[in-house]
Amino acid sequence: MHVETRPAPEQDIDGLDRIHQGLASEGFRSLEHVVDGGYTNPDSTHHAAQRWGITLLGPVRTVPRASEGPGFAKEDFTVDWQNRTLTSPMG
């Protein structure tokens, strides 16, 4: 277990690298790190996997203005957890 205490005005996500560094220094590698929405974004997920070999698991944050642009929402995709597949609206 690793605990990182952050001052209230600082973002949780800014301490994520120190948390992973602490886990790695204790010999924890290739593990899953379950976090809340304050830690998840594409960059943090990619960085954790590439630098530390850690799979970051947490809720995907809603982009408030995403519906204003073209494309798909996460609800448009079909997830098959058993077969580990994700199907887009285009098939």
Side-chain angles (χ1 to χ4, degrees):
M1 174 186 286
H2 181 84
V3 176
E4 179 79 27
T5 304
R6 309 278 301 156
E10 294 182 17
Q11 296 292 316
D12 291 342
I13 200 168
D14 294 336
L16 195 56
D17 210 42
R18 281 191 296 222
I19 293 169
H20 291 159
Q21 184 177 20
L23 291 169
S25 71
E26 294 296 323
F28 292 100
R29 289 290 199 167
S30 299
L31 54 91
E32 295 176 340
H33 184 184
V34 181
V35 297
D36 66 29
Y39 295 92
T40 54
N41 68 32
D43 289 336
S44 64
T45 303
H46 178 75
H47 182 75
Q50 294 299 307
R51 181 157 187 203
W52 303 108
I54 294 172
T55 301
L56 200 59
L57 301 173
V60 177
R61 289 192 250 180
T62 303
V63 179
R65 298 178 51 165
S67 62
E68 296 175 12
F72 303 108
K74 64 182 178 181
E75 295 83 18
D76 297 327
F77 293 82
T78 304
V79 179
D80 182 344
W81 293 106
Q82 186 171 356
N83 292 311
R84 301 180 70 129
T85 61
L86 179 69
T87 306
S88 75
M90 303 298 291

